[in-house]
Amino acid sequence: MSKVPSLKSLSPRLREWLRLGHIWIGLVLCLPLAVLGVTGSILVYDHEFIALFNGGSEPARISASGQQRSAEEIIKAAQPSAPQGARTSSISLPAEPGEPAVVRFQRQGAQQGPGGQAMIRIDPVSLEEVTGGGNIMPQWMRVVHQLHGNFMYGREGRDVVGWMGVVMLILGVTGLVIWWPRPKRWKAAFGVSRKAKGMLLHREVHGAVGIWGLAVFIVVSFSGVYITFPQTTAEIVKAVFPAERDLRALASSVRVQPVKDAQPIGVNQAVGIAESDVAGARVRAIFLPARPDQPIRISMTREGHEDGAPMISMFIDQWKGEVAQKVDPREFTTGESIMAWQRPLHAGAGLGWLYRFLVFLSGLMPVAFAITGIAMWLYKQKAKRKMKAMLSAPAE
């Protein structure tokens, strides 16, 4: 029977440096790390939290039943409520019966992103505007998004958040080295003794929380770094796993050639081309071009698709009326799959309710680490003061 490899074999000097680095990085950065963790947990269940704290309102539902209208009809129904001069940027079709379609408009002169968008919900059967419901983002949830995304400090803050993800990875790895138990102590290292009190209690809770949540904590931290620094992280992934394409950049890099004096095809025609190319797939979202040289992008899912998992992307040349490019998750290389899954993994999406809940818990781990870590440090300081007082006390 092979023995479990021991990280205790590392040199005492290296282990001490790792321990000190773990302690002081954790103490100094515990507050921003806790903010990132808690806001991340909230965002995992954002719609549920909005419903809970926004008057208990449920997500908007539709009452009409019947055949869903076409994408062009839904867009046309939303246009009277759109801001003056705004262009239609996308339409999300219902994932389930009873849900409204969502048409997004980009305000003129506004930067790309949620801040420059107006969102109109339309009943896809009756074409009436849907109002009310708890799935419109309130201001407090926007603050949560900004805190988690950039500490409310723009591009510079986004980079800081990315480096906090690197810090979390470092703390996870060094924590594993510090936690690694001696032979015959493995069982005890995974739990908390009923008799543990004071310093020992905090140490055991710190270690147990860390080891049980380590895998998800590392996955979520790495995916956060990828989202912030996609090019650098993608190069690291591609150095280990094959990946021919940069899927993140692909959506913005596909170009079409406008035809002079020609009329581009409409949204319905583009949808028809996509559906005929991918038999049995369902259209979930349509992204309209901002410029003539950009294609219409259509996101589609197959039967059994888990919400949040990577979707099929069809790029339709609206001038030639044909598929310009097709990106299908079933055809991804290992590296491409890893990169495509980073955002869903970070958001707790695409792998079912259990993984979503584990990601929620992983966001609370920095709070548990901060409480137990600070408590252990205070206990040590108290012990040092007591020892110093004893040594300095005059002998009787």
Side-chain angles (χ1 to χ4, degrees):
M1 183 176 178
S2 61
K3 293 183 179 180
V4 177
S6 177
L7 292 179
K8 296 293 183 183
S9 59
L10 292 175
S11 70
R13 186 182 185 89
L14 176 58
R15 283 184 54 81
E16 181 61 16
W17 276 108
L18 292 177
R19 187 185 70 83
L20 290 174
H22 184 90
I23 291 171
W24 285 108
I25 291 173
L27 288 173
V28 172
L29 298 177
C30 64
L31 181 58
L33 293 178
V35 169
L36 281 181
V38 171
T39 53
S41 290
I42 293 172
L43 293 179
V44 170
Y45 290 105
D46 53 354
H47 293 300
E48 290 81 354
F49 276 109
I50 290 173
L52 180 63
F53 295 108
N54 220 36
S57 56
E58 294 295 327
R61 307 293 294 179
I62 64 172
S63 56
S65 60
Q67 182 69 31
Q68 178 174 298
R69 308 293 281 271
S70 71
E72 286 185 357
E73 290 176 300
I74 294 172
I75 292 172
K76 186 176 180 180
Q79 285 173 341
S81 300
Q84 186 174 5
R87 71 170 184 85
T88 308
S89 60
S90 69
I91 172 174
S92 299
L93 298 176
E96 298 177 359
E99 294 181 353
V102 179
V103 184
R104 290 178 174 82
F105 295 88
Q106 191 70 30
R107 292 185 176 90
Q108 189 173 14
Q111 294 183 348
Q112 293 291 327
Q117 288 185 348
M119 185 174 73
I120 311 296
R121 294 177 295 184
I122 298 294
D123 184 324
V125 177
S126 69
L127 298 182
E128 295 179 357
E129 184 176 352
V130 178
T131 58
N135 56 354
I136 292 293
M137 188 183 297
Q139 183 59 36
W140 66 266
M141 183 57 79
R142 295 181 187 275
V143 172
V144 171
H145 271 274
Q146 291 175 346
L147 279 172
H148 190 75
N150 57 22
F151 285 130
M152 304 185 73
Y153 198 65
R155 177 65 231 187
E156 293 82 1
R158 181 177 173 82
D159 289 344
V160 171
V161 168
W163 284 109
M164 288 297 103
V166 175
V167 167
M168 287 187 180
L169 289 173
I170 293 172
L171 290 175
V173 173
T174 55
L176 176 63
V177 174
I178 296 168
W179 167 89
W180 201 266
R182 294 182 177 87
K184 299 181 180 180
R185 290 286 300 166
W186 281 85
K187 185 177 180 180
F190 282 89
V192 179
S193 172
R194 294 182 180 180
K195 298 180 180 179
K197 295 181 180 180
M199 170 76 170
L200 180 60
L201 174 62
H202 288 286
R203 179 186 295 166
E204 290 188 354
V205 170
H206 195 91
V209 169
I211 196 60
W212 282 106
L214 181 64
V216 177
F217 183 80
I218 292 294
V219 167
V220 173
S221 299
F222 179 83
S223 59
V225 175
Y226 176 87
I227 291 170
T228 307
F229 306 120
Q231 292 180 327
T232 303
T233 318
E235 290 303 317
I236 295 174
V237 172
K238 287 190 286 187
V240 182
F241 300 100
E244 298 176 0
R245 299 169 295 182
D246 183 351
L247 298 175
R248 180 196 60 84
L250 187 62
S252 58
S253 64
V254 177
R255 291 288 181 267
V256 296
Q257 183 63 47
V259 179
K260 187 177 181 180
D261 298 328
Q263 186 68 26
I265 64 172
V267 173
N268 288 349
Q269 289 175 275
V271 168
I273 294 169
E275 289 178 332
S276 63
D277 191 272
V278 188
R282 182 180 179 187
V283 175
R284 290 291 303 277
I286 305 165
F287 301 88
L288 303 181
R291 302 195 310 266
D293 65 342
Q294 292 177 330
I296 298 173
R297 178 161 61 95
I298 300 177
S299 297
M300 309 178 74
T301 60
R302 289 189 173 89
E303 180 101 16
H305 176 89
E306 185 71 37
D307 190 36
M311 292 188 279
I312 303 167
S313 291
M314 300 293 296
F315 297 87
I316 307 299
D317 186 332
Q318 66 270 33
W319 302 100
K320 295 181 179 179
E322 62 184 22
V323 176
Q325 190 154 351
K326 173 182 174 182
V327 180
D328 190 337
R330 298 194 303 184
E331 300 170 358
F332 287 171
T333 64
T334 301
E336 289 170 349
S337 292
I338 291 173
M339 290 185 282
W341 270 97
Q342 291 309 303
R343 190 171 290 275
L345 288 173
H346 192 75
L351 293 176
W353 68 268
L354 179 58
Y355 178 73
R356 187 185 187 198
F357 182 63
L358 291 176
V359 173
F360 170 80
L361 292 180
S362 74
L364 303 180
M365 287 173 64
V367 178
F369 292 150
I371 293 172
T372 54
I374 291 173
M376 285 190 288
W377 184 78
L378 291 175
Y379 272 111
K380 288 182 179 179
Q381 298 308 305
K382 183 179 179 180
K384 288 180 180 179
R385 288 194 299 270
K386 186 176 180 179
M387 179 61 69
K388 185 177 181 181
M390 291 175 59
L391 293 175
S392 61
E396 293 183 1

